[in-house]
Amino acid sequence: MGRRNFFIGVGAAAVAAGAAGIAAGTWERAGKAQTGSPTRLGLPLIAWEGGPRYWQAFPKAAAAGWTDPSFFPLAVFFGRPAHAEQLKSVGINTFQAVEHNDPLSVATSKGIFCIVQDEFTADEIGDDPLAVGLFAYDECDMGLGCGGDDTDTNLANMHLQVVGLRQRNDGRFINANYSKGVLESYWALGTMDDFMAVVDVASVDNYAYTSPDTGYAITQSQYWPIGTPTMRSATYGWLVDRMRAFQTEPGNKPNWMFVETAMPFLNDDGARTISPEEIEGACWSAIIHEARGIMFFQHNNDGVNGGYSLVECSAERKELIRASNAKITSLAPIINTQSYEWDFGPDTDTMLKAWNGSAYIFAEIALATEPGGRTFTLPSSIPGRLVDVVDEGRTIEVKDGAFSDAFPHEYTHHVYRIAL
């Protein structure tokens, strides 16, 4: 089942200048125009948070450049300030929580944005212009970090924490990371919508590629397709759909997805290290499902890639991850526009955009399907006869309003550009 149909079923960043023109013009929410003319492709729109404009509400983020359509958050969780330059070299631009072993300025002086936990006092953060957000709790939906014995107490503690952070009145947004509550099987039952609503942007971690225990927990969700393997890129997009399902208006705030970069401190039987190709596939699945940021968990215990796997892994592995992040960043002006709703055909996960005179189709294979060929049927508003496969040096001919391509692995993704 494709993303569009699945989402409906559950109730549910000379290029920068061109993108800025779109961001400053028409933008639409929930398929209804807020300003300007009807949709460019004559198709319904996927609900969203308003794109880069969302960050205008937070003076620190806005002043730091988060409203720039060419910006897409690529973060590490609990980044070490001393690693800032090395992490920046692989495409990281943000720390979501910061190790408290160096002054914050050690990271921000290298151009790294920081979302800072209350382990840092307000005086320590000061007026640092790259400290754009405040981090509330990690996995409070499961009772971790916030100290509650039941979901109602966890939620109450989360509210108290956010109230305290907002009282700083420092122009910074509030962020929290959640986990298995989005599965709606055991944790945070009846309260996950409140957990999502209390913060300005949420992220979720469920390490489907590497943790068999997490995989089992995912299969216990009533929304998971029975019998479907969880060690797939498509699982990460499914998790973004789960996040959107808990928002009062799906997509009204940004959703960020965690992706592991090695073996994320696991001790369950069968735990494994994610491959660079799987990292890339997971990132694109999440983005195709409307994730507006990728958070990387780089802490590692596989005995091969070092304790900080984005810093200490092999040069070859690091280069593959850098290239993946560079592609995301290069396409950020397109990703940051509002998506169109269109079913391209069976067994595909897609995201459709229109930008700078072209349509862009971001594609992976759908959840509960196998690798192989896929056919994409175009809407009549995309009349082009030739498809450029972005960054792959090849083209595909459109025949009878459709084109086909190969997806040899479950993590394979393609980006297609068609002139309008």
Side-chain angles (χ1 to χ4, degrees):
M1 182 180 293
R3 172 167 71 97
R4 307 306 187 218
N5 293 333
F6 175 81
F7 179 72
I8 292 169
V10 301
V15 169
I22 287 179
T26 299
W27 65 279
E28 308 187 39
R29 185 188 296 265
K32 298 180 180 179
Q34 303 297 305
T35 62
S37 59
T39 66
R40 183 175 183 183
L41 295 182
L43 298 171
L45 288 156
I46 301 297
W48 72 331
E49 76 295 343
R53 285 189 173 189
Y54 179 81
W55 302 108
Q56 290 179 355
F58 310 101
K60 282 291 185 183
W66 280 47
T67 58
D68 185 343
S70 65
F71 174 72
F72 188 91
L74 293 169
V76 292
F77 183 71
F78 263 94
R80 185 173 184 176
H83 291 162
E85 193 163 0
Q86 294 158 285
L87 289 166
K88 191 174 180 179
S89 73
V90 296
I92 299 303
N93 53 40
T94 303
F95 285 180
Q96 183 194 38
V98 186
E99 287 193 16
H100 199 196
N101 44 26
D102 283 306
L104 200 62
S105 60
V106 174
T108 59
S109 66
K110 300 297 183 181
I112 296 289
F113 301 112
C114 290
I115 305 167
V116 193
Q117 73 277 20
D118 66 358
E119 187 177 355
F120 286 80
T121 66
D123 285 342
E124 285 180 291
I125 300 171
D127 198 39
D128 193 317
L130 269 66
V132 295
L134 301 174
F135 186 75
Y137 282 130
D138 180 37
E139 298 185 347
C140 186
D141 57 321
M142 298 175 63
L144 303 177
C146 57
D149 295 324
D150 56 64
T151 191
D152 290 331
T153 305
N154 295 337
L155 180 60
N157 290 345
M158 174 61 80
H159 275 279
L160 286 173
Q161 177 77 341
V162 171
V163 166
L165 294 176
R166 292 205 190 279
Q167 286 176 346
R168 296 187 181 187
N169 195 30
D170 58 5
R172 299 181 168 105
F173 62 81
I174 309 298
N175 167 228
N177 180 62
Y178 300 121
S179 187
K180 294 181 175 62
V182 298
L183 305 180
E184 206 169 11
S185 56
Y186 174 78
W187 300 269
L189 286 175
T191 59
M192 200 62 214
D193 54 343
D194 293 317
F195 276 109
M196 292 292 290
V198 72
V199 294
D200 303 310
V201 54
S203 60
V204 159
D205 66 57
N206 279 285
Y207 302 123
Y209 260 130
T210 55
S211 170
D213 288 355
T214 293
Y216 175 77
I218 289 171
T219 66
Q220 302 310 294
S221 172
Q222 61 182 306
Y223 301 106
W224 185 255
I226 295 173
T228 300
T230 58
M231 289 186 179
R232 299 286 182 93
S233 289
T235 303
Y236 294 76
W238 178 85
L239 289 164
V240 178
D241 285 342
R242 294 305 311 139
M243 296 177 73
R244 288 169 66 88
F246 288 105
Q247 294 179 313
T248 53
E249 179 186 341
N252 67 344
K253 295 180 181 179
N255 295 303
W256 294 343
M257 180 50 50
F258 260 77
V259 177
E260 63 268 50
T261 61
M263 183 187 290
F265 280 172
L266 301 178
N267 55 19
D268 38 324
D269 291 339
R272 61 184 291 270
T273 296
I274 191 171
S275 73
E277 295 81 6
E278 291 166 340
I279 293 170
E280 185 173 14
C283 289
W284 281 108
S285 177
I287 291 168
I288 287 169
H289 286 251
E290 303 296 326
R292 297 291 170 168
I294 299 295
M295 312 290 107
F296 292 110
F297 192 92
Q298 66 155 344
H299 302 288
N300 168 56
N301 64 339
D302 69 358
V304 176
N305 291 293
Y308 298 89
S309 59
L310 288 181
V311 174
E312 299 169 354
C313 69
S314 69
E316 179 182 8
R317 183 180 177 94
K318 195 178 297 183
E319 174 56 25
L320 289 170
I321 295 170
R322 186 209 62 77
S324 175
N325 287 341
K327 185 170 183 177
I328 294 171
T329 298
S330 71
L331 292 168
I334 304 159
I335 296 167
N336 280 330
T337 64
Q338 191 168 11
S339 303
Y340 292 87
E341 184 176 334
W342 177 255
D343 186 352
F344 285 92
D347 301 340
T348 62
D349 261 2
T350 57
M351 178 175 68
L352 174 60
K353 305 280 190 177
W355 182 80
N356 201 26
S358 294
Y360 286 80
I361 303 163
F362 298 74
E364 284 194 339
I365 68 172
L367 195 68
T369 68
E370 295 301 318
R374 295 293 189 274
T375 296
F376 299 84
T377 300
L378 300 173
S380 60
S381 54
I382 304 179
R385 306 302 301 172
L386 200 64
V387 179
D388 175 34
V389 189
V390 175
D391 288 346
E392 295 188 32
R394 60 189 178 94
T395 57
I396 305 171
E397 186 179 354
V398 177
K399 297 180 180 179
D400 299 323
F403 69 94
S404 298
D405 203 4
F407 290 75
H409 306 285
E410 58 81 17
Y411 52 73
T412 301
H413 81 279
H414 300 298
V415 181
Y416 305 109
R417 177 173 57 232
I418 307 174
L420 293 172

